[in-house]
């Protein structure tokens, strides 16, 4: 809708310029500094409008070209940052996973150590009970 209003406004301005030029059709002198010519005012007005439109087009196209180039550079920067962030995320994820694996391995080793100590302790207790035949302390009978 915004673009349609610009087109409509452009047509209205062109129409005003054409009507203004048609109303002023007498011949006038134009001094270029080094030469003087006589031309109908209608041609001077339309020529000035065309030259003004060309100047606006050239300056705006140069600005648009610079902006497009800047947008491309910024998009490339964004893409580089995203790639860098993905790499950092992958590195951090791998580091975190290694830390957790090391922690699990440490806990497993500690568990195994404690389990072997418990087994040794149980063996010592059962071994001591088998070697000690104390009549006052008979072995436990679990089925009683």
């Amino acid at each position: 809708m915004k673009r349609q209003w610009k087109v409509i406004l452009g047509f209205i301005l062109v129409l005003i310029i054409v009507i203004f030029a048609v109303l002023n059709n007498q011949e006038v002198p134009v001094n270029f500094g080094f030469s003087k010519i006589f031309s109908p005012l209608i041609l001077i007005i339309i020529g000035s409008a065309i030259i003004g439109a060309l100047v606006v087009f050239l300056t705006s196209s140069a600005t648009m070209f610079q902006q497009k180039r800047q947008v491309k550079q910024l998009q490339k920067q964004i893409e580089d940052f995203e790639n860098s962030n993905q790499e950092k995320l992958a590195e951090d994820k791998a580091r975190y996973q290694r830390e957790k694996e090391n922690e699990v391995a440490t806990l497993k080793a500690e568990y195994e150590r404690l389990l072997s100590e418990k087994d040794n302790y149980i063996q010592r207790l059962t071994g001591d009970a088998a070697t000690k035949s104390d009549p006052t302390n008979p072995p436990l009978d679990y089925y009683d």
Side-chain angles (χ1 to χ4, degrees):
M1 190 72 177
K2 185 177 181 182
R3 192 171 189 99
Q4 289 176 346
W5 283 108
K6 287 181 180 180
V7 171
I8 292 171
L9 183 63
F11 281 138
I12 291 172
L13 290 175
V14 167
L15 184 64
I16 290 171
I17 291 172
V18 168
I19 291 172
F20 182 72
V22 169
L23 293 175
N24 295 294
N25 59 1
Q26 66 267 20
E27 199 163 295
V28 293
V30 179
N31 189 356
F32 288 106
F34 58 87
S35 172
K36 187 180 211 181
I37 62 168
F38 289 90
S39 177
L41 190 56
I42 188 170
L43 294 178
I44 303 295
I45 292 171
I46 292 175
S48 297
I50 290 173
I51 290 172
L54 284 173
V55 167
V56 168
F57 174 74
L58 290 175
T59 56
S60 66
S61 65
T63 303
M64 285 176 33
F65 176 73
Q66 289 174 347
Q67 288 175 347
K68 284 182 181 180
R69 188 177 64 205
Q70 187 177 17
V71 165
K72 284 182 183 178
Q73 288 175 346
L74 292 174
Q75 285 175 340
K76 186 178 183 305
Q77 262 186 335
I78 288 171
E79 186 177 312
D80 291 344
F81 285 140
E82 286 176 351
N83 290 339
S84 175
N85 284 343
Q86 290 297 331
E87 291 172 2
K88 287 179 182 178
L89 181 64
E91 289 172 3
D92 287 346
K93 186 178 178 182
R95 181 179 46 82
Y96 180 75
Q97 189 172 7
R98 282 192 306 271
E99 287 175 359
K100 291 304 171 187
E101 286 173 356
N102 288 342
E103 190 176 319
V104 167
T106 304
L107 290 173
K108 279 184 181 179
E110 182 67 17
Y111 174 75
E112 293 293 328
R113 185 187 64 77
L114 290 172
L115 191 60
S116 68
E117 283 180 9
K118 179 184 147 212
D119 287 342
N120 289 340
Y121 181 71
I122 290 173
Q123 248 182 355
R124 273 196 326 252
L125 288 177
T126 57
D128 288 347
T131 55
K132 289 183 183 177
S133 305
D134 190 10
T136 60
N137 191 8
L140 293 176
D141 189 9
Y142 292 107
Y143 299 109
D144 284 341

